Amino acid sequence: MKLYRDSRGGFSERTQVLLGIAGHRGEIECVCFMPLGLRRLRLDPTEHAGPFSLGCLSITSLGLADQFILTLRGIYRRTRHRLSPLYWQLRGVANRPLLQPYQRIVDYRDWVNSVEPTEDDCDRMAMKAAKEEGPTFSIVMPVYNPELAQLIEAIASVMAQTYPHWELCICDDASTEPDVWTQISELAEREPRLKVQRHVVNGGIARASSAALTSATGDYIAFLDQDDTLARWALDRMARALRQFPEAALLYSDEDKIDENGQRCEPHFKPAWNPDLLHSINYFGHMLVVRRDVVEAVGGFRAGFDGSQDYDLVLRCVDAIRPDQIVHVPGVLYHWRKSHGSTAQVLGAKAGAHPSGIAALSEHMAPIGAHVSDGPFPTSYRVRYPMPSPAPLVSIMIPTRDGGDALERCIDSILRRTLYPAYEILIIDNQCADPRTLSLLSRYQLDRRVRVISYDAPFNFSAVNNLGAKEAIGDVLLMLNDDVEVLTGDWLNEMVPRLYQPGVGAVGAKLMYPDGRIQHAGVILGVGGVAGHSHKYYPRHHLGYFGRLVLPQTVSAVTGACLLVKKADYLALGGLDEVNLAVAFNDVDFCLRLAERKLRTVWTPYAELLHFESLSRGQEDTPEKRLRFAAEVQYMKTRWRDLLLHDRSYNPCLTLEHEDLSLSLEAPHYLQLDAR
């Protein structure tokens, strides 16, 4: 539930107030500041079907004292990202509070001015491109009764490209507004690179796109909606990416939106190729470029998938090419207009789009027997993969040292809630001496599903798990901390089938603090120097950055507090690194070594656990622990130096200072970014 305020620049995500989140039950009371000059308020009650009611709403004028306090607070919020590092450096990192704000507010317009090409840069690009040969881009645009000014702006954005080797293929799908075809025809007479045709009878967006595609003669096909615009340097950046990756067959860029007042907002900075995210949502979005022979080979657009015709096309294209032929071009190259009836304005605005997307993904998943259903929000999907038959035995390895009540909570939650039929619990006793814990171990050994083995040496998380792997009977290993609690009964039913998908090496789960805030939603490389947890401290039911907190996705690593892996893969890698990474980062290192063997790591939000973090081993609060931690940090920086700065599941325009996926204040200029 969001409240939007318009005081001068129209409605935008930058000025929205989050009133409530999905899954909340009961009343919400919220006091929020309304700026002077307030013109309009807009309430978006929900992005899902469901009842709600609005109670008392009052707007009260503030006195001078309250205005002064709020002004000071606003100044602090705008400057704290600069002051906070210095403050906590002076106080010491150990004093940093657990509660941190999520999603720093960075003025997107100011940020754009610091990273995007200037007019002078564009003029230089145009002069250079005019002298060079390069691929030709055929831009496909289906048209039906657009707002004329927006259509003209869309076409003008193509004609203004710094890259000259393009053609714009337009099909007017029998627009009933006569000025539409008149305007298109007049522009085509002045610009020979415009190829236009007109349907007599409206056939839908898929048919119109197919018709426009028949006019294409370029090497690559790009797609543009009738009311959207391209950045002036969009095709130049794509051509540059093709020089970097000449075998690329599918390329996509980052994007943002244009609000009702013509202001750019809501930038979406995407990861590199992420197959699991694509099976959750069409994150490719715009700008999309596909090699023409690939489009033709898969049959182009198909009837019956209107609204999701592009998703249907890309799913068939990725099946026809290699993963290394899919290239992400960082930087906003496409501006998606939030016009009335557009899904840029309201998710699910096009009624037929979501069923068409489910149909396309279901057909894509049919060969492996996966079932596709609605995802957590409109335009998203959930894939349930088939369970291997018979279900493999999972050995749940739980190291403990005097875990006591935490260990009991962990084990009992597994035994009481787990629906998966085949598992054993392997408790690894690391020099337990507490009578309470010893009594628990004796009691659990009476359960046929539980075994206890001894590790009689100083704590070494890697060595403890390596011992567990040798003793485990199961074909699948689950590293699990003794300070977690299982919340969802089908957690292993979700994780195990994902592990058995081609190319998957590890699977991780969604972990939360006891107060419900997110503790782990996948690892981001480079945060804080080595790695951090995505979306840390977000509310449990928050959608996250463009849905990333509620959608399964490929990540660079997951935490060893809950990490599922096949025993054969674990042993082939030699297990965790017990020499260089006894305590910290061994899980990250393990996932990166899996990636070296072409095995990816997947994080899923559909397996949920509470994590009472570091109850068993404590914090890095002694000189010996700090020295060991510093050595582990240095090892990671030496071993994985390049990857730590270029996480393919992240984006170079997002911050490495925090775990909130906010804009990077040190983001490189777009022209310095390479495709990946």
Side-chain angles (χ1 to χ4, degrees), residues 207-484:
R207 180 170 175 265
S209 298
S210 292
L213 192 59
T214 61
S215 302
T217 60
D219 306 292
Y220 291 84
I221 306 297
F223 306 93
L224 178 64
D225 287 348
Q226 63 185 18
D227 50 0
D228 299 339
T229 62
L230 299 180
R232 190 180 170 196
W233 53 87
L235 296 181
D236 196 284
R237 288 281 288 145
M238 286 295 178
R240 172 178 153 186
L242 286 167
R243 287 192 290 271
Q244 183 185 351
F245 296 100
E247 294 190 6
L250 185 152
L251 306 91
Y252 63 98
S253 76
D254 302 325
E255 63 188 78
D256 64 12
K257 295 176 184 175
I258 303 174
D259 66 18
E260 296 166 317
N261 295 290
Q263 298 294 321
R264 289 172 55 186
C265 61
E266 300 177 45
H268 184 187
F269 292 103
K270 307 167 189 176
W273 168 230
N274 197 310
D276 300 284
L277 185 59
L278 185 66
H279 295 156
S280 303
I281 193 170
N282 182 15
Y283 83 95
F284 282 166
H286 314 291
M287 173 185 194
L288 180 68
V289 172
V290 188
R291 208 170 63 205
R292 183 161 65 94
D293 63 335
V294 174
V295 174
E296 292 173 347
V298 300
F301 294 103
R302 297 191 298 175
F305 293 92
D306 291 271
S308 290
Q309 70 284 340
D310 50 351
Y311 189 41
D312 171 59
L313 177 62
V314 298
L315 288 172
R316 286 178 286 123
C317 286
V318 297
D319 271 349
I321 59 179
R322 304 188 310 271
D324 63 354
Q325 293 179 291
I326 302 171
V327 173
H328 172 234
V329 182
V332 173
L333 305 187
Y334 192 103
H335 312 302
W336 191 12
R337 192 178 300 277
K338 298 175 70 171
S339 56
H340 179 70
S342 166
T343 51
Q345 179 76 290
V346 180
L347 290 176
K350 297 178 180 177
H354 187 62
S356 295
I358 288 181
L361 186 57
S362 296
E363 181 178 316
H364 180 72
M365 290 292 177
I368 62 172
H371 177 262
V372 179
S373 59
D374 293 339
F377 56 88
T379 73
S380 68
Y381 316 100
R382 180 172 182 181
V383 178
R384 288 178 172 87
Y385 295 96
M387 182 68 71
S389 182
L393 180 67
V394 177
S395 294
I396 305 175
M397 306 184 302
I398 306 176
T400 190
R401 174 180 287 182
D402 296 331
D405 292 341
L407 176 65
E408 182 178 30
R409 180 175 53 234
C410 175
I411 302 297
D412 286 355
S413 72
I414 296 172
L415 296 175
R416 190 171 65 252
R417 295 175 182 153
T418 301
L419 300 175
Y420 188 78
Y423 68 89
E424 67 162 351
I425 299 175
L426 194 59
I427 305 175
I428 308 167
D429 173 4
N430 185 197
Q431 299 179 328
C432 289
D434 169 52
R436 162 78 168 141
T437 304
L438 293 174
S439 174
L440 285 172
L441 296 181
S442 298
R443 190 184 88 196
Y444 284 131
Q445 289 188 86
L446 300 177
D447 192 311
R448 60 179 179 80
R449 295 168 293 180
V450 181
R451 288 192 290 140
V452 178
I453 62 174
S454 176
Y455 178 79
D456 189 15
F459 178 75
N460 182 317
F461 183 82
S462 297
V464 171
N465 279 283
N466 289 345
L467 173 63
K470 293 176 184 176
E471 296 288 335
I473 299 174
D475 291 329
V476 175
L477 306 177
L478 177 71
M479 290 187 277
L480 194 70
N481 279 15
D482 66 351
D483 56 355
V484 302

Side-chain angles (χ1 to χ4, degrees), residues 469-630:
K470 293 176 184 176
E471 296 288 335
I473 299 174
D475 291 329
V476 175
L477 306 177
L478 177 71
M479 290 187 277
L480 194 70
N481 279 15
D482 66 351
D483 56 355
V484 302
E485 177 183 352
V486 173
L487 294 180
T488 52
D490 61 349
W491 63 301
L492 288 179
N493 299 69
E494 164 68 17
M495 296 176 73
V496 172
R498 287 191 179 275
L499 183 65
Y500 276 80
Q501 296 313 300
V504 175
V507 178
K510 183 177 185 177
L511 304 184
M512 288 152 293
Y513 290 109
D515 65 3
R517 293 178 300 155
I518 298 298
Q519 188 270 332
H520 174 77
V523 167
I524 303 172
L525 300 180
V527 171
V530 178
H533 297 279
S534 172
H535 291 91
K536 198 170 187 179
Y537 306 123
Y538 272 61
R540 174 181 179 180
H541 297 290
H542 201 286
L543 295 181
Y545 185 78
F546 288 90
R548 296 282 292 274
L549 195 46
V550 295
L551 300 175
Q553 62 208 260
T554 308
V555 294
S556 291
V558 292
T559 176
C562 182
L563 190 156
L564 194 74
V565 61
K566 292 177 184 175
K567 183 176 181 179
D569 290 331
Y570 188 95
L571 297 179
L573 262 65
L576 301 183
D577 186 343
E578 57 190 77
V579 175
N580 300 297
L581 300 169
V583 177
F585 306 121
N586 37 49
D587 43 10
V588 178
D589 171 78
F590 181 79
C591 292
L592 295 182
R593 286 189 284 130
L594 281 173
E596 286 185 324
R597 295 168 60 90
K598 307 300 182 184
L599 294 173
R600 69 183 187 273
T601 297
V602 179
W603 174 83
T604 175
Y606 298 122
E608 294 185 316
L609 301 91
L610 290 184
H611 188 193
F612 301 79
E613 188 178 25
S614 299
L615 285 180
S616 54
R617 71 174 182 86
Q619 303 295 328
E620 314 294 0
D621 54 4
T622 67
E624 293 79 10
K625 287 182 179 181
R626 292 192 184 107
L627 187 63
R628 184 263 310 150
F629 182 73

